Amino acid sequence: KAGVTQTPRYLIKTRGQQVTLSCSPISGHRSVSWYQQTPGQGLQFLFEYFSETQRNKGNFPGRFSGRQFSNSRSEMNVSTLELGDSALYLCASSRRGGAEETQYFGPGTRLLVL
Amino acid sequence: GDSVTQMEGPVTLSEEAFLTINCTYTATGYPSLFWYVQYPGEGLQLLLKATKADDKGSNKGFEATYRKETTSFHLEKGSVQVSDSAVYFCALSPYNQGGKLIFGQGTELSVKP
């Protein structure tokens, strides 16, 4: 069974640009969550999608947005990039997004903003 | 709001030493509790979990017990190996916000032969 895949794996952008990251969950999983990992702030929850609807949202500015497609694949968009957006972006999937469920993480997309 | 606090690292141990990584949480209701591990160059993976009070999660010789009275979920292993060197994250999933994990800061463990 294939794991969670994320593309691209590495990305370099400049301030002010926008970026779109993609996540394909494990087959049969309908919940996709996104996290930002930085040395200073650690792992922080961005948002969760379930059946194409955003169900939970973390404390990030509106520049961070996402969506989920009918096949459960999810994309995350960051507009007007800032230097502080440089981070490892992780997505995770689970069957229903239940609190007791294991979330399976992808390898991440490492974003560098210059 | 809900939060997780875990002991700061790095923690350096000799092979076969006893390991404890402390984790305490603040949460409303009854969260599920997790330990995730990140090996060098690899992604996050679940180590163990517990979904209700007094549950004990265990895997690969690691154990943690969900203690509601002390709001703790300490990770223990009786005899660590060099291959256990990694970063360990304690996390909680709020009972009414499924799909959301709140992580501690992570504890880096280095095991020397």
Side-chain angles (χ1 to χ4, degrees), chain A residues 5-77:
Chain A
T5 59
Q6 292 186 246
T7 56
R9 292 293 310 278
Y10 304 93
L11 210 46
I12 300 176
K13 292 286 188 179
T14 56
R15 276 182 302 175
Q17 287 187 311
Q18 74 165 21
V19 67
T20 299
L21 313 181
S22 181
C23 172
S24 292
I26 291 172
S27 178
H29 286 192
R30 294 163 61 194
S31 169
V32 174
S33 297
W34 289 88
Y35 298 86
Q36 181 196 66
Q37 186 176 22
T38 60
Q41 299 298 316
L43 278 155
Q44 294 186 287
F45 172 77
L46 280 153
F47 30 64
E48 184 229 359
Y49 284 85
F50 179 79
S51 291
E52 302 179 63
T53 301
Q54 187 181 89
R55 193 162 63 171
N56 284 301
K57 190 177 190 308
N59 296 322
F60 278 81
R63 300 186 297 108
F64 292 81
S65 63
R67 59 178 176 169
Q68 187 179 34
F69 302 94
S70 58
N71 61 357
S72 294
R73 189 177 71 85
S74 178
E75 287 182 348
M76 188 192 111
N77 185 273

Side-chain angles (χ1 to χ4, degrees), chain B residues 13-20 59-63 75-85 88 109 111-112:
Chain B
L13 296 173
S14 297
E15 210 165 19
E16 299 184 4
F18 184 85
L19 168 71
T20 299
N59 186 27
K60 298 181 182 179
F62 291 89
E63 291 183 341
L75 182 69
E76 296 182 335
K77 186 175 186 182
S79 176
V80 294
Q81 307 300 312
V82 172
S83 58
D84 294 326
S85 297
Y88 293 80
L109 170 66
V111 181
K112 306 297 185 186

